[in-house]
Every structure is written in C-alpha cells, then in structure tokens.
C-alpha cells in the first residue's frame, strides 16, 4: 500500500547501525547521540501509532539525555495524561529499534498494527521538544521523518524542559474539559505556576536571593522566563547558564554532579557565601538538589529525601489546619536509596511505602494515596493530588479564617506543583514557598533530621542479570546464598543497612550501605561489594 511504501522510503534514509542493540529502559532510549538516528525515526513512527491507537490523543516525545554527558542523547515517549509511556509499549519500542533492515522494520510495523488492532485511518497527534544538546536538531529531523511516514499532526515545542513538555501533553489533552490542566502553551505553564507561587507567599517577607545552578542546560532559559513572571516575589540568581558553550552541559555542575560527588558545582567554589541557599537543576530540569555552606564553610546537601520531608510535613500541617484531617489520606513513596533517617522522620508522621527504582513505580504508588508525595534521593519527584481530593479542596467550606487560609494554600499547591512528572523549577518554588512560610534558612530545614552516613558503589560483574531482587529491591533472591552473607555483615555494624541490585541504566551492580558512623558506612559498602565481585 501507499502507506507502507512511504514508510519504507523514509526508513531507508535512517538505516540502523549494524551490530548494535537498543533498549527502551527506565530513561527511554539513551546512549551516544551519533548512533541514535534510526532510533529517533522509529520512535516517531511508534508515537504516531500510539496516538492512533488512543483515538488521536496527543502523545509527547522528548529528546534529551538529562544529566548524562553532552555527547549522549536520548528519547522518551509521554502518554496522554502527561505521565510516562505505558510499560507494555516499552517492548514494542525496543522491537522497532532493533529491526535490522528497512524490510524488517516495515514488517515489524505491519504485524504490530495487526496485533494491536490499530486503525491507520485514525488521526495522530504528537507534541515534541528537545534539550540544548548540539545533537538535538539532527535527531529531531529524524523524528520528524518518522512523523511524516505516519501522517502525524506534529507540534514542535522547540527547546524546552522535560517537565514543560509533559505539562503541554496533559494541557493539550484536557483542553476545554472540566479537568483542564491550564493553557496549552509555555506561557500558560509559566502563568499557572508563578501565580500560584505568588498567592502562596503573598504578604510574607521575600527570602534572600536563591542561587540556581542551571547545569548549562535548558533550565537556564526556563529560569529566566520564570524570573520575568515572578517579579519581586523571589530573586533568583542563575549561574551555569552557558547553553551554547561546547562541553559545558552537566560538566562539573548540575544536580547529578552535586549529588554524586557531594560537592559544590565547580563554578561556585569560592563564590557561594556561608549560609546562602543554592540549588542545582539537571540538564533537562527535572531533578533538583539544594545545598549550602555552613559557618565553617562546610558543604551540606539537601537531597530529594530532605525535600520530601519538608513538603510532606508542610502538607500534613495544612490539611490539619484546614479541618480536613482524616478526610484526606496522605502518603510518601520512596525507594531503597532513601536515607534511613528520612524514612524514620517521615514514618513518624504519615504512611511511607518503598518501591523499586524508577519514576514509573514511584508515580503509580503515589497515585494510590489521596495526596501522594514521591521523591527519589537523586532529586526527582513531585506530589500527586487525586481527582477526588482536588474536588474536595475546591468544594470544601471552611468554618474559620484559619481554615480558609490553609485551604487556599492547599488549592495553590495543586496549581504550583507539576503533577505530571518531577519538575525541578516547580519543586524549587514549592521548597521556597515552604521555607518562606516557616522562615527557615537552609540550615534550619537541614536540621529536620540528620542524614545517616551512606555510600553507593558500582561493581562491574560478568552478568548483572544474575542478580535478582525482591521486597522493593531490598533483598537478593539470586545468586543463591548471597543475601544471607550480606545480612551477616550488616548485623556487625551499628545502624547498618545495605542492599545489592542490578542497575537498570548501566551495566553494573549497585551496592548501597549506611551506618551510624561514616567510616563504618564506607567499610560496610566495600565489604558487601567484595561479596558481589
Ligand atoms: P539505576 O541505574 O537503575 O540505578 C538510576 C538512578 C535512579 C533513576 C534512574 C533513571 C540511582 C541509584 N539510580 O537508576 O534513581 O534516576 O537512573 O531513571 O540514583
Ligand atoms: Zn533529568
């Protein structure tokens, strides 16, 4: 047919490199940019098919490799509600990407269309964006060829953050309905979030300026647009904003650098004043890490766990003050990497669930609460308010002025928080609003609880798939007998906790350990790693 002829002709322009295997994993497809051309073309085709399958609902495609090095790139699909691609379709993405030739690819599409019962006469719509990587434009061109092959009505969101792209998808699909998520434009997003922030802090003393490390990525552009809308409600001081300087992206800066090296972004060394609050975004602005230097110039980091603690405690308090205690069930979702001290702090206040690594697991578990707070220790997270809760908040009649104020704050939080996915800038404004309410400095926020010293190590093994886990990745079921040996070691350390799991994004096994004393956490991690090796 004409459809498959065009598909075949365009596919020939994007041949798959031989001897490479691609996998749609927790971060979509992600690898060195120069081998991704065929993958982008095929993802364009798949996005079009997914839209047709969903009766023309708009699908999102984001081209980014987030916190990874500048020479990497990647691509992820976004489902109509703004959340991640349904897990069942990840395998179809992988199958498409690995078809060896155009003929193989075309027949893969043909048989998929049949088995998934896709009506090719349906409309298909996609909105797509990319980060600032230099490889972006060429990869987007390949993606657009994929759209052309399917006849997609494609909307180019240009250079934008991952969370803005997720917002757009949800806003487009809810446009004109009672669940409208906001105007389906970048301006709509900025207005929605910044008006909510201004309402939350109205009448309060603006905090001292906040230094924002933009990782030399797309967050730099977003932050400057935010500042325009925020006026003098808060002063942001953006640094690492060189989005066109070769090699600068995520280099010695950004949320991942700060979290893994537990250091200041290099450009802030000698410039950040003691006590001054600062935060880092990652390369696509969906992760957030706060930090400050104490009086002695010592570095302190406030990670995703600290953000979860601050946010959850604040919402618990507002719900109580609003007179909705008992009516709205709050909960927190973490992974095994959450610091044990944060889990203890949170569990004393609300239900806490632990799920396997990967945003989709956290997001789904959080959806089971009326208000679900989820954060990974690495700074990716958000808060979800269920439909019923949003309606309850909108309809509830307060009986005192104090209840009314708290209720209005909760309503503003629903607007301020990007509920489609973790959003570094939305989360940053959330943190700033809470710090303003509490008149907390970074140091006071930090003292909610004291982190247990911890250590994360990578171990390169022959076959990481030999490592299988249970209990939200906290225990090994295979190799046989290994968990008992880990348990034996852990018992010898005060406050010891350790677990071993295969990475989903790198060919390594990760070992995490914590203990009451720094040297003991290190020792435990290295001894457990010794068992794995
Ligand atoms: P893996 O490689 O499966 O440990 C890493 C991060 C996750 C998450 C994913 C990206 C750690 C220990 N792991 O997963 O938190 O961000 O990448 O989706 O940070
Ligand atoms: Zn990211």
């Amino acid at each position: 047919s004409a459809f498959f002829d065009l598909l075949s002709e365009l596919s020939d322009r994007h041949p798959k490199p031989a001897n490479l295997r691609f996998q749609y994993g927790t971060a979509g497809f992600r690898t060195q940019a120069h081998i991704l051309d065929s993958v982008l073309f095929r993802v364009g085709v798949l996005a079009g098919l997914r839209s047709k399958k969903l009766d023309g609902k708009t699908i999102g495609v984001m081209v980014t490799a987030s916190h990874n090095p500048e020479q990497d790139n990647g691509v992820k699909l976004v489902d109509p509600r703004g959340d991640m691609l349904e897990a069942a379709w990840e395998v179809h993405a992988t199958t498409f990407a690995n078809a060896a030739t155009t003929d193989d690819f075309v027949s893969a599409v043909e048989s998929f269309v049949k088995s998934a019962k896709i009506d090719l006469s349906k409309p298909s719509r996609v909105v797509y964006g990319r980060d600032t990587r230099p490889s972006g434009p060429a990869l987007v061109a390949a993606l657009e060829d994929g759209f052309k092959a399917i006849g997609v009505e494609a909307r180019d969101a240009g250079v934008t953050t991952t969370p803005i792209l997720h917002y757009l998808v949800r806003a487009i699909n809810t446009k004109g309905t009672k669940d409208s998520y906001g105007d389906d434009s970048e301006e709509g997003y900025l207005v929605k979030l910044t008006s909510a922030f201004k309402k939350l802090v109205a009448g309060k003393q603006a905090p001292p300026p906040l230094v924002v490390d933009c990782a030399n990525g797309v967050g730099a552009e977003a932050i400057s647009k935010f500042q325009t809308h925020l006026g003098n409600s808060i002063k942001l001081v953006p640094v690492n904003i060189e989005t066109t300087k070769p090699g600068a992206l995520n280099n010695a800066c950004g949320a991942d650098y700060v979290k893994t090296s537990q250091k200041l972004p290099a450009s802030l060394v000698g410039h950040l004043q003691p006590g001054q609050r600062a935060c880092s975004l990652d390369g696509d602005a969906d992760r957030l890490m706060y930090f400050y230097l104490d009086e002695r110039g010592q570095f302190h980091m406030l990670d995703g766990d600290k953000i979860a603690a601050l946010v959850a405690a604040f919402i618990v308090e507002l719900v109580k003050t609003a007179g909705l205690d008992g009516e709205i069930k709050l909960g927190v979702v973490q992974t095994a990497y959450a610091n044990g001290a944060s889990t203890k702090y949170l569990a004393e206040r609300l239900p806490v669930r632990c799920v396997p690594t990967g945003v989709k697991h956290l997001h789904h578990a959080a959806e089971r609460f009326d208000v679900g707070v989820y954060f990974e220790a690495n700074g990716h997270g958000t808060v979800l308010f269920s439909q019923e809760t949003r309606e309850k908040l909108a309809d509830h009649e307060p009986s005192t002025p104090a209840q009314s104020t708290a209720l209005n704050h909760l309503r503003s939080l629903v607007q301020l928080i990007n509920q489609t996915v973790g959003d570094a800038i939305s989360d940053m404004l959330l943190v700033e609003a809470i710090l303003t309410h509490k008149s907390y400095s970074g140091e006071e926020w930090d003292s909610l609880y004291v982190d247990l010293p911890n250590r994360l190590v990578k171990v390169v093994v022959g076959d990481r798939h030999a490592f299988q886990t249970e209990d939200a990745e906290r225990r090994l079921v295979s190799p046989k007998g290994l968990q008992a040996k880990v348990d034996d070691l852990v018992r010898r350390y005060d406050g010891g906790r350790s677990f071993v799991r295969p990475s989903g994004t790198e060919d390594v096994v990760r070992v995490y350990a914590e203990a009451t004393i720094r040297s003991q956490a290190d020792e435990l991690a290295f001894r457990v790693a010794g068992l794995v090796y």
Side-chain angles (χ1 to χ4, degrees), residues 30 64-68 76 162-163 282-287 380:
R30 192 175 295 181
T64 178
S66 184
H67 58 278
N68 290 126
K76 261 193 284 197
T162 293
D282 73 339
D284 62 341
D286 64 352
R287 284 197 199 179
H380 185 102

Side-chain angles (χ1 to χ4, degrees), residues 80-143:
R81 286 169 36 79
D83 50 358
M84 310 230 290
L85 176 70
E86 181 187 294
W89 276 56
E90 292 178 2
V91 286
H92 307 317
T94 301
T95 305
F96 276 18
N98 290 305
T101 62
T102 284
D103 284 349
D104 292 343
F105 175 58
V106 171
S107 55
V109 172
E110 216 164 349
S111 70
F112 178 58
V113 165
K114 244 185 234 136
S115 65
K117 299 196 178 62
I118 294 169
D119 179 353
L120 291 176
S121 69
K122 288 272 165 94
S124 65
R125 302 184 180 93
V126 176
V127 57
Y128 59 104
R130 64 175 175 94
D131 68 18
T132 55
R133 285 181 161 73
S135 56
L139 290 175
V140 161
L143 180 71

Side-chain angles (χ1 to χ4, degrees), residues 26-27 287 337 357-358 376 378 456 501-506 510:
T26 31
R287 284 197 199 179
Y337 291 107
T357 303
E376 288 193 291
N378 66 25
L456 183 60
R501 60 173 279 279
S503 160
T505 61
E506 281 179 81
R510 296 196 202 282

Side-chain angles (χ1 to χ4, degrees), residues 168-477:
L168 287 174
V169 172
R170 175 107 158 228
I172 291 169
N173 287 306
T174 55
K175 196 171 179 162
T177 73
K178 69 170 178 34
D179 295 324
S180 168
Y181 199 58
D183 189 66
D184 63 331
S185 63
E186 187 179 76
E187 181 70 11
Y189 162 89
L190 291 166
V191 168
K192 178 180 175 179
L193 272 64
T194 56
S195 337
F197 177 78
K198 285 191 241 172
K199 277 189 199 161
L200 271 164
V201 301
K204 313 253 177 210
Q205 159 117 48
L210 171 68
V211 174
V212 187
D213 158 24
C214 301
N216 294 312
V218 64
E221 297 172 14
I223 283 288
S224 99
K225 293 173 192 164
F226 264 95
Q227 183 70 75
T228 311
H229 285 76
L230 286 163
N232 49 20
S233 58
I234 182 172
K235 171 112 182 69
L236 307 172
V237 183
V239 299
N240 297 326
I241 55 174
E242 300 201 64
T243 57
T244 55
K245 182 173 160 192
L249 180 68
N250 297 324
N251 189 3
C253 61
D256 194 64
Y257 173 83
V258 172
K259 174 70 179 169
T260 50
S261 65
Q262 315 214 3
K263 285 201 293 227
L264 285 183
S267 64
L268 284 179
V269 175
H271 296 284
L272 193 69
Q273 300 306 310
Q276 198 174 7
R277 283 170 356 287
C279 65
S280 285
L281 319 177
D282 73 339
D284 62 341
D286 64 352
R287 284 197 199 179
L288 177 68
M289 202 55 56
Y290 266 77
F291 49 89
Y292 67 93
L293 299 176
D294 66 19
E295 298 306 295
R296 291 174 304 147
Q298 199 176 344
F299 174 80
H300 296 265
M301 184 170 68
L302 299 137
D303 65 0
D305 299 337
K306 274 269 152 76
I307 298 174
L310 182 76
V311 170
F314 185 66
I315 299 179
V316 165
E317 208 177 286
L318 283 181
V319 167
K320 238 179 233 161
T321 315
L324 288 165
D325 209 7
E327 280 192 58
I328 293 179
K329 210 173 91 249
L330 272 100
V332 177
V333 185
Q334 300 186 311
T335 72
Y337 291 107
N339 195 278
S342 78
T343 311
K344 180 168 176 294
Y345 173 88
L346 285 161
E348 284 163 1
R349 288 160 180 82
L350 68 173
V352 179
R353 280 208 50 198
C354 181
V355 298
T357 303
V359 175
K360 65 180 173 211
H361 296 115
L362 289 128
H363 195 91
H364 289 149
E367 282 178 324
R368 307 181 97 100
F369 294 108
D370 297 334
V371 180
V373 178
Y374 75 81
F375 273 91
E376 288 193 291
N378 66 25
H380 185 102
T382 186
V383 184
L384 304 180
F385 296 81
S386 72
Q387 166 103 20
E388 203 188 325
T389 304
R390 278 180 274 137
E391 284 165 10
K392 202 174 273 179
L393 292 174
D395 300 342
H396 185 72
E397 300 277 356
S399 37
T400 65
Q403 283 192 359
S404 168
T405 306
L407 189 63
N408 282 328
H409 288 335
L410 284 167
R411 290 171 180 156
S412 296
L413 289 182
V414 172
Q415 303 299 312
L416 173 61
I417 298 168
N418 186 341
Q419 293 174 54
T420 60
V421 73
D423 179 333
I425 304 179
S426 163
D427 290 338
M428 178 195 86
L429 292 177
L430 173 62
V431 166
E432 290 301 308
I434 300 174
L435 297 181
T436 302
H437 272 256
K438 299 259 166 211
S439 311
Y440 278 170
S441 64
E443 193 153 10
E444 286 162 308
W445 166 23
D446 200 15
S447 65
L448 289 181
Y449 63 82
V450 180
D451 272 320
L452 283 169
N454 59 87
R455 169 73 61 180
L456 183 60
V457 267
K458 287 187 200 186
V459 187
V460 178
V461 295
D463 175 18
R464 78 184 201 277
H465 302 290
F467 292 78
Q468 284 167 9
T469 61
E470 61 179 4
D471 189 23
E473 305 181 322
R474 289 173 292 190
R475 299 187 60 79
L476 284 169
V477 286

